[in-house]
Amino acid sequence: MHPKNNKANLKIVKGILALIAVSLGAIYAKNPKNIIFMICDGGGYNHVDASSYYEFGESGTQVYEQFPVCCAMSTYSASGNKYDPEKAWHDFKFVKKKPTDSAAAATAMACGIKTNSKFLGMTPLKKSIANIVEHCESLGRATGLVTTVPFSHATPAAFASHHNNRDEYHRIAEQMIQESAIDLIMGCGHPEYDCSGQSVLNRQCDYEYVDPHLWQLIRQGIIGADRNGDGVDDPWTLIEDREDFLALKDASEFMRVLGIPKVFKTLEQGRPGHEKAPPFKETWIETVPMLHEMTEGALCMLDFNPDGFFLMVEGGAVDWASHDNQSGRMIEEMLDFNLATQTVVNWIESHSSWEETLLIVTADHETGYLLGKKSGSGLFGWLTGAEPRWRPIENRGKNQVPGMKWYSEEHTNSLVPFYAKGMGAQRFQTLADEHDPVRGPYLDNAELGRALFDVMQQ
Ligand SMILES: [Zn+2]
């Protein structure tokens, strides 16, 4: 071989290697400064479409549906039924069998492992395992959790505590408030208010979600572990009034905010009135913030950390409305979640950039088996051989509840939508290497959890 050819070949090989390096670099871009992780609890594909039909009169219009990474995700738990694409679209009842709960699903996303239902930040053998919040803190990032349901409830708790029983709210709240280094927590569960936002001080306070003694310490502003590693405890600052949540975006300095709105279980989904009324028909509680307002305040607080942050935002009551098959309230909760995602996108584009921030929007599982009418196994399908049917929901135009029906009051093992944009987003596309005949490529929730650790390095 002529020496010149050798040289030319070497050049070609070098060129190819450089190309591979660049593309790998693009795929495995690391170190987003900020990660914003948004979870629509119980929100499946049809919940998204229902909200779009009501909001815009057409589907596919949500800001997150335009993201460069769009795929599906499996959500089954260690104690549940493994998702099987073939069975899922041949047996109408398959996805109803042994679905995950929110604790196991959130633990998979927060810690990168499959665990049992009810478990938080623990393996099936009850061994504590680090979560992405603790990982980000070890890298000097600020950390925050925002939810529309109680702050010590399953999803935020999986990012902030380690326990084998999600119902042990007092112990979980202790871990979050008294022991963690988390910089910001916002969520419901206020013991001095009821679900209509009325004070119960002259009646009976309800300490379901936080121990009375811990609550007194919170009220006195004297509780909170060392959040920034300087060896000095950092007490939480309690905010309750909507105005105080709104004021955070104009704050001139960081505050370790514990934001507990003046309402018991959840912002609006539990308010009085006809539970199955159309969206926005029943009187709204004006004294509590909305998810997008809490989220904007949280972003501004965490952005005081020059080294970046990790923020988890949960639209928790989508699940609660779906368990009760409340179409109107489910749409209300979805619209608030959609508005919160738009608020985050606006914030990234005005205060940060997609070159330094990763935004993920997904769900922990589907709730309510929401489908178009006349879906089902087919009348005596087992006898007549009638094919099961999964009909799409029917668009009835803007401000109209779509034609749809709930086929369960529980979670399902259905695949959920997954969207990502920004630094490191491509990484998740490469993980979607399994295929579903209806939803296409999909990744698994534990893979997502592990990838978050990989993406967030020094
Ligand atoms: Zn649920």
Side-chain angles (χ1 to χ4, degrees), residues 41-42 100-102 166 316 319-320 323 364-365 367 410-411:
D41 197 313
T100 188
D101 80 330
S102 291
R166 56 178 287 173
D319 175 66
W320 294 20
H323 275 293
D364 57 348
H365 54 75
T367 301
E410 297 308 325
H411 299 172

Side-chain angles (χ1 to χ4, degrees), residues 169-186:
Y169 295 115
H170 287 189
R171 180 67 196 115
I172 291 163
E174 245 170 46
Q175 288 186 39
M176 295 174 83
I177 304 294
Q178 232 166 320
E179 296 164 20
S180 87
I182 296 171
D183 301 280
L184 177 140
I185 294 175
M186 293 177 176

Side-chain angles (χ1 to χ4, degrees), residues 76-80 104 114-117 124:
Y76 59 93
S77 68
S79 52
K114 293 284 186 189
T115 194
N116 299 340
S117 283

